[in-house]
Amino acid sequence: MSEEKKPHPMIPVPEAIKIVLRETGRVMLDQRSRGIHQSESISSTAPWSKILNTVLDKDVLMTEPGYPPYNASIMDGYCVRSSEFKITDQVDGNGFTHHVADNVYAGDHPTAAEGSPSESPTLPAAYYITTGAVVPDTFDCVVPIEECRVSDDKQFVQVLNSATIQGGKWIRPIGCDISANSVVLPQGHCMDPVALGLLKQSGAESIEVKKRVKVGVLSTGNELILGFNADPSHTGKIPDVNRPILLSLLESFGNVECVDLGMERDDDVAAMAKRIDSATEICDVIITTGGISMGDTDIVENVLIDHFGGNLHFGRIHMKPGKPSTFVTIPKSGKTCLVFALPGNPVSGTVCTELLVKPCLDLLYDGIADGLSGSKDSLDSELDSVVRDAQVHPELLGILSHDIKLDSVRPEYHRVTIDGLENGSINVRSTGVQRSSRLMSLRDATGLLVLPVGNTTKPKALKGDRYPVLIMNNSSLFAQPQVKNSLHLFAKKQMKVAVVLVCKDSSFAQKLDSVCDRIKNSLSGSKSGHAVIVSKRVFDGDLKDLYSLCIDSNDADLIVVVCVTSPGSYLFNLDVSSMLSKRLRKVAGALALQARQGVASSNSQSAIFEAVVGYAPEKQGAMMSCLPEEGVDGGLSNIRGLLKHALNTARGKPHNHHHK
Ligand SMILES: Nc1nc2c(c(=O)[nH]1)N[C@H]1C(S)=C(S)[C@@H](COP(=O)(O)OP(=O)(O)OC[C@H]3O[C@@H](n4cnc5c(N)ncnc54)[C@H](O)[C@@H]3O)O[C@H]1N2
Ligand code: MOO
């Protein structure tokens, strides 16, 4: 290390992000003052892959005459004139009402048909027409084929019910879907698949879209090679992983056009300067990795400052990983290039691209408020507002699933797997050893947990502690359910029900079949699918054996325990319900209350009964409910809709592939 090389002060992450946004805003205001507008025109006939995910910089308007551009039939049938029918109702001896002048198929251009007079001396004209075909001028009604009788030679047609003939019926008039000159797609709209379709319908020749931000990525270091090529024994050489990671990560942001700047040695200042020089010509933003800390070969900062006269805004950040991250702006040919010189460790470079570079790219792409002028007097306050309004990472409050030792020097952006929503909270677990060279720590990472510096009072973050977690990949949060756990598919499923009739006295056993029928009826509804009784049993033994009988058996989703006793003697029922509620896990209070209300509405006296609903711990995912015989219908139908969700909750843990 040379004598004069002194470490830069470490600034806090929030300050670093604000500096990045402020300098980005400065560049944008400068461009605005020079009238530079970052948009480009794309022909609407360009390949859709070129248009997909671009963002409109200008409204797309509907061309004349609107969509659809002609009056189109909604049905296969016959088009007629509503005015003619009234006069010539049922003139033909065979009951035919119209003669068929011609056929118009979708795709035909029926100019000949326009206003053509009826050729039959006696009957008005009709045209056979298909769905989507042009309704000939002067015709104003389509009668569906089902409403017509057609002669064998297809020359004549009888409209069976005159009431089906109404002006405008079964026709989409010109411009009814999109009226001429209306805004089809507003400025700022992302060209998603539906927007591509609407663009086609609009008839617009081209669109103005925001220019993607041009970002160059350069790897530095003498140790770098392209790959091991199945031979990792190159002493001292390692594959360059930063470029593939960063180029593809940037690509995934969607608002970036990447420029691969290749690899550069770290012992040749002139070569590196040359490469960065040509990059500043074409790139808005440059990311370099490696060569930015304290070693003799860490030359990147020298090149950026000494060779290009760059302005250094910060040279170190108080964070782990990513401490040596450096941010420089380089004025070049009338514009300013934003340069992020990131550490070479793969994790550091990746985390800092997410944390520091992404907000800069989003700001460059999304643009700044229209009213900002960048004039000298207001510049500072305008930049303040740019920083305040800029968008940063989506974030949630994560709950730690286990203890983590805190770093005693730097706040840590700890790579975690977000385990999804459970009871409304986000549980996170560490991806393991967090060394910034250990790319494996990013493999299953979907978030960065922001941990504070540890001290003697709080050396560890503890299980259950809450910290902000920055989400790295939104889609990972929405775990895909399996068919069996899907809310909408499960709704159609059968609910398998086991019934246990608990009798104080065996004479009640004969009620079993009728009770089962009532249970089946009360659980079947259009929304909750239908119930099938998979087992019916009578229990009249010692109550202490009841629970094991209930859980022993089949693959029921729901075990319904029905208590039957003589009217007015409810003590037995209470014994049953209190015994079961002790054995069940997560007794569902809200459901039980609903059930009890339902019971009461069937039979007011049984309201005294303590309805029970809960999960049987021994039967994974099954629920058990205990109800009195008199109110079983009301009780079950009251919880029918909720049972489906309760069962899904019991089973539908978010699916995760990578459990440690
Ligand atoms: N005396 C000090 N030494 C170091 C300090 C310090 O403060 N004082 N900081 C350490 C920290 S923290 C980090 S992070 C690294 C960052 O170093 P550089 O940015 O200079 O990066 P390099 O030394 O070039 O590389 C670091 C590491 O990463 C490997 N690497 C580099 N590029 C790639 C690539 N494209 N693909 C895969 N791996 C790459 C390189 O071989 C090194 O192992 O500095 C500490 N040192
Ligand atoms: O800051 Mo460095 O990125 O810890 O390893």
Side-chain angles (χ1 to χ4, degrees):
M1 181 178 139
S2 53
E3 281 300 321
E4 69 276 16
K5 197 160 184 172
K6 287 262 178 344
H8 292 287
M10 277 198 275
I11 66 165
V13 172
E15 198 181 316
I17 292 179
K18 285 177 193 162
I19 290 174
V20 166
L21 291 170
R22 197 175 184 83
E23 293 314 308
T24 307
R26 198 188 299 280
V27 168
M28 296 171 81
L29 283 170
D30 178 55
Q31 289 189 343
R32 177 171 285 178
S33 70
R34 295 158 190 249
I36 301 172
H37 192 69
Q38 298 281 18
S39 73
E40 61 184 329
S41 174
I42 307 183
S43 159
S44 34
T45 56
W48 58 263
S49 55
K50 209 176 158 220
I51 303 178
L52 189 68
N53 291 332
T54 58
V55 172
L56 289 171
D57 204 31
K58 227 175 165 186
D59 293 348
V60 174
L61 300 181
M62 184 68 219
T63 53
E64 297 280 356
Y67 192 85
Y70 51 84
N71 297 325
S73 175
I74 297 176
M75 290 288 195
D76 298 310
Y78 288 87
C79 63
V80 298
R81 298 184 179 98
S82 61
S83 56
E84 285 181 333
F85 188 78
K86 289 179 193 115
I87 318 159
T88 56
D89 198 4
Q90 308 281 323
V91 288
D92 184 87
N94 297 317
F96 291 112
T97 54
H98 295 78
H99 89 271
V100 181
D102 207 346
N103 300 333
V104 194
Y105 296 101
D108 288 354
H109 184 212
T111 42
E114 276 172 27
S116 83
S118 303
E119 286 144 31
S120 156
T122 49
L123 293 177
Y127 279 79
Y128 173 73
I129 192 163
T130 62
T131 305
V134 176
V135 177
D137 280 355
T138 77
F139 285 73
D140 66 344
C141 170
V142 171
V143 182
I145 198 99
E146 297 87 335
E147 310 281 344
C148 300
R149 180 173 69 91
V150 186
S151 66
D152 292 343
D153 62 3
K154 306 215 166 167
Q155 293 299 301
F156 295 95
V157 63
Q158 178 190 7
V159 175
L160 295 171
N161 177 1
S162 62
T164 55
I165 300 196
Q166 293 162 29
K169 191 80 179 160
W170 298 122
I171 292 175
R172 284 154 60 222
I174 291 174
C176 73
D177 290 353
I178 313 171
S179 57
N181 304 311
S182 64
V183 175
V184 182
L185 297 164
Q187 180 187 21
H189 194 86
C190 175
M191 293 301 293
D192 58 15
V194 170
L196 286 167
L198 288 168
L199 171 62
K200 292 278 179 200
Q201 291 188 341
S202 77
E205 234 177 279
S206 63
I207 50 172
E208 288 290 308
V209 299
K210 296 183 181 192
K211 234 185 190 160
R212 293 178 209 233
V213 185
K214 255 198 176 159
V215 185
V217 176
L218 173 69
S219 289
T220 74
N222 285 8
E223 70 274 39
L224 303 180
I225 51 174
L226 275 179
F228 283 138
N229 283 334
D231 176 18
S233 65
H234 304 260
T235 319
K237 299 290 182 195
I238 52 165
D240 170 17
V241 301
N242 289 347
R243 257 182 328 138
I245 293 176
L246 298 190
L247 288 168
S248 53
L249 177 63
L250 292 163
E251 194 77 48
S252 77
F253 292 163
N255 52 10
V256 170
E257 184 185 333
C258 291
V259 183
D260 184 347
L261 300 174
M263 299 185 287
E264 196 54 77
R265 298 182 64 81
D266 55 20
D267 54 4
D268 187 343
V269 171
M272 193 176 295
K274 194 169 167 217
R275 200 182 285 251
I276 292 177
D277 188 44
S278 56
T280 55
E281 294 289 338
I282 48 170
C283 297
D284 306 304
V285 173
I286 297 173
I287 302 174
T288 67
T289 62
I292 198 66
S293 58
M294 301 302 292
D296 284 349
T297 56
D298 291 338
I299 59 170
V300 174
E301 184 186 318
N302 295 355
V303 172
L304 295 175
I305 307 299
D306 300 345
H307 197 277
F308 294 99
N311 295 315
L312 182 115
H313 300 285
F314 55 77
R316 281 204 308 169
I317 307 181
H318 192 223
M319 69 181 286
K320 185 184 170 190
K323 180 176 64 173
S325 296
T326 298
F327 178 54
V328 174
T329 48
I330 296 178
K332 184 76 193 291
S333 327
K335 63 172 194 147
T336 301
C337 195
L338 299 149
V339 185
F340 295 85
L342 303 182
N345 277 313
V347 176
S348 317
T350 307
V351 167
C352 290
T353 299
E354 282 277 0
L355 198 68
L356 298 175
V357 185
K358 189 172 189 303
C360 158
L361 302 177
D362 289 344
L363 181 56
L364 283 171
Y365 190 69
D366 296 341
I368 47 175
D370 284 342
L372 306 180
S373 66
S375 76
K376 240 187 176 155
D377 305 340
S378 56
L379 184 63
D380 266 337
S381 66
E382 288 188 355
L383 289 176
D384 286 345
S385 79
V386 167
V387 172
R388 265 199 316 270
D389 297 344
Q391 292 189 321
V392 286
H393 268 83
E395 55 191 11
L396 292 162
L397 211 50
I399 301 180
L400 257 181
S401 300
H402 53 82
D403 296 358
I404 295 181
K405 189 176 176 301
L406 294 170
D407 189 273
S408 60
V409 181
R410 289 178 281 166
E412 185 176 42
Y413 286 73
H414 196 106
R415 280 77 75 198
V416 290
T417 304
I418 299 172
D419 275 336
L421 287 158
E422 199 178 326
N423 306 324
S425 61
I426 299 281
N427 296 298
V428 299
R429 65 201 148 84
S430 171
T431 56
V433 176
Q434 298 284 301
R435 223 180 2 257
S436 56
S437 56
R438 184 177 172 260
L439 194 51
M440 290 294 274
S441 72
L442 271 170
R443 192 189 67 182
D444 298 329
T446 46
L448 296 171
L449 190 69
V450 188
L451 294 176
V453 176
N455 53 38
T456 43
T457 344
K458 176 101 183 160
K460 278 182 181 176
L462 300 175
K463 177 178 174 174
D465 282 355
R466 288 158 194 260
Y467 297 100
V469 58
L470 311 183
I471 296 153
M472 291 203 289
N473 174 1
N474 286 358
S475 58
S476 64
L477 274 189
F478 301 100
Q480 289 179 271
Q482 295 165 302
V483 168
K484 64 180 186 220
N485 295 327
S486 151
L487 288 177
H488 81 287
L489 300 178
F490 184 74
K492 307 282 186 298
K493 217 184 114 173
Q494 292 180 337
M495 187 184 294
K496 294 186 204 145
V497 183
V499 178
V500 179
L501 192 70
V502 187
C503 305
K504 175 115 201 246
D505 167 337
S506 60
S507 68
F508 294 117
Q510 31 91 13
K511 287 195 170 214
L512 181 65
D513 283 337
S514 72
V515 165
C516 285
D517 284 346
R518 284 162 54 204
I519 289 174
K520 199 171 150 181
N521 289 339
S522 27
L523 284 176
S524 295
S526 57
K527 273 198 181 142
S528 43
H530 60 281
V532 278
I533 308 286
V534 290
S535 79
K536 340 173 164 182
R537 284 166 301 167
V538 172
F539 181 87
D540 58 4
D542 190 336
L543 279 191
K544 72 177 174 20
D545 301 326
L546 172 62
Y547 185 75
S548 45
L549 172 105
C550 290
I551 59 165
D552 157 47
S553 65
N554 41 61
D555 58 346
D557 302 307
L558 176 69
I559 302 156
V560 183
V561 180
V562 183
C563 297
V564 48
T565 176
S566 10
S569 75
Y570 287 109
L571 276 180
F572 171 75
N573 288 1
L574 289 174
D575 285 347
V576 174
S577 64
S578 74
M579 189 277 292
L580 286 179
S581 65
K582 281 185 202 121
R583 302 296 298 267
L584 294 175
R585 185 172 51 96
K586 286 194 183 168
V587 170
L591 273 177
L593 186 66
Q594 289 262 32
R596 192 175 186 174
Q597 283 166 349
V599 167
S601 68
S602 290
N603 180 304
S604 59
Q605 279 198 316
S606 1
I608 190 176
F609 187 89
E610 199 66 59
V612 179
V613 185
Y615 300 95
E618 300 82 355
K619 306 232 35 129
Q620 272 230 320
M623 297 201 73
M624 193 182 293
S625 177
C626 176
L627 298 162
E629 184 261 332
E630 302 92 323
V632 74
D633 325 62
L636 289 178
S637 48
N638 233 27
I639 59 171
R640 185 172 74 190
L642 290 170
L643 269 178
K644 180 184 66 179
H645 294 290
L647 283 166
N648 276 340
T649 311
R651 301 163 171 173
K653 296 264 182 275
H655 186 65
N656 220 316
H657 293 288
H658 308 293
H659 283 289
K660 290 250 142 146

